[in-house]
Amino acid sequence: MATSTRKSPSKSDGADFEPDEEWKLQLRERIELGVRPMVQDSKDRQLAGLKRIEDEFKAAMSNIKALADQQYQLELTKERNQRRWIAGDPMDRGWSYYLQEKEAARKEEEARKKEEEVKKKEEEAKRKEAEVKRKEEEAKRKEREVNRREQDARKKAADAKKLEEEAGRKAEEAKRKEEQTRKKEEKLRQDTEKTKMLHLEAQRIADKAREKQERLRQLEEETQKREAEIREREVALLRREEELKRREAEARKKEEEAKQME
């Protein structure tokens, strides 16, 4: 019958080599104490980043608010001048062209309608003239009436030509006012671009200031480090001086003892 053998417990299982809980607690405290400066540095960096983001957000909101206020004032001034124009009161300088342009557009529309009416009348006159010519042999007695209608048609054609010339003049005037408006819009765009450049310049100055602050902080840390080294050296020198004094005292004591023995 086969017999099974049991191995006696040995220290190779590592149970007797396990540190006690107090040792583990001290080890954890030493490690936490060592990483504490790194934790504090990470917190400081996080706070600095949040402060920078908050400043940039405030600056952006301020610019948006300024643009909204500018748009509000522009629309308000536009409405006020339009009401002044309706009431017959004098408008602010630079706003009369806008209402004049609207008036010119209205007159142009009226001229276009009149021109269409004239064309219709011309077509009607031509139709009647053709009809008169067709019936000329059988209705010679209507010849004078036809001549009168022809004169009327020529007069209307002259009036239509005058209207066309007036419409052309108004079109040129509208074109000129449109060019003025374009120039003003271009100036507004340039002003907006200048504002954007000023904002970028302010951002660059702020970044430069932050860089200077960072360099100053590094110099302060370096200065503190050097001061600590100097203090350590001073302490070491004091210890050496005390050691020399102690040795001198011992040497004097030994000399006195030697003299007494003699």
Side-chain angles (χ1 to χ4, degrees), residues 46-81:
Q46 184 181 14
L47 291 175
L50 292 174
K51 181 65 168 58
R52 178 179 59 80
I53 293 172
E54 182 180 0
D55 293 340
E56 291 177 354
F57 173 78
K58 289 180 179 179
M61 291 302 295
S62 178
N63 290 333
I64 292 171
K65 183 178 180 182
L67 290 175
D69 292 340
Q70 184 179 3
Q71 183 66 24
Y72 170 79
Q73 292 297 330
L74 181 62
E75 292 296 331
L76 182 60
T77 304
K78 177 180 174 181
E79 182 64 21
R80 287 172 178 170
N81 281 278

Side-chain angles (χ1 to χ4, degrees), residues 224-251:
Q224 291 176 358
K225 183 177 179 182
R226 291 180 179 178
E227 289 177 353
E229 292 177 354
I230 292 171
R231 286 195 294 270
E232 290 177 357
R233 291 177 182 177
E234 289 177 351
V235 171
L237 289 173
L238 290 174
R239 289 178 179 174
R240 289 181 182 178
E241 289 178 358
E242 291 177 355
E243 181 67 20
L244 289 173
K245 289 179 181 179
R246 186 182 62 79
R247 289 182 181 179
E248 289 177 357
E250 288 180 355

Side-chain angles (χ1 to χ4, degrees), residues 193-231:
E193 186 67 22
K194 288 179 181 179
T195 303
K196 183 178 179 181
M197 292 176 64
L198 290 173
H199 174 69
L200 292 175
E201 181 65 16
Q203 183 66 30
R204 185 185 66 78
I205 293 173
D207 293 340
K208 189 174 181 181
R210 283 194 294 271
E211 291 177 358
K212 289 182 178 180
Q213 289 179 354
E214 181 63 19
R215 289 198 296 269
L216 181 60
R217 185 186 64 79
Q218 292 177 358
L219 289 173
E220 289 177 351
E221 291 179 353
E222 183 67 21
T223 302
Q224 291 176 358
K225 183 177 179 182
R226 291 180 179 178
E227 289 177 353
E229 292 177 354
I230 292 171
R231 286 195 294 270

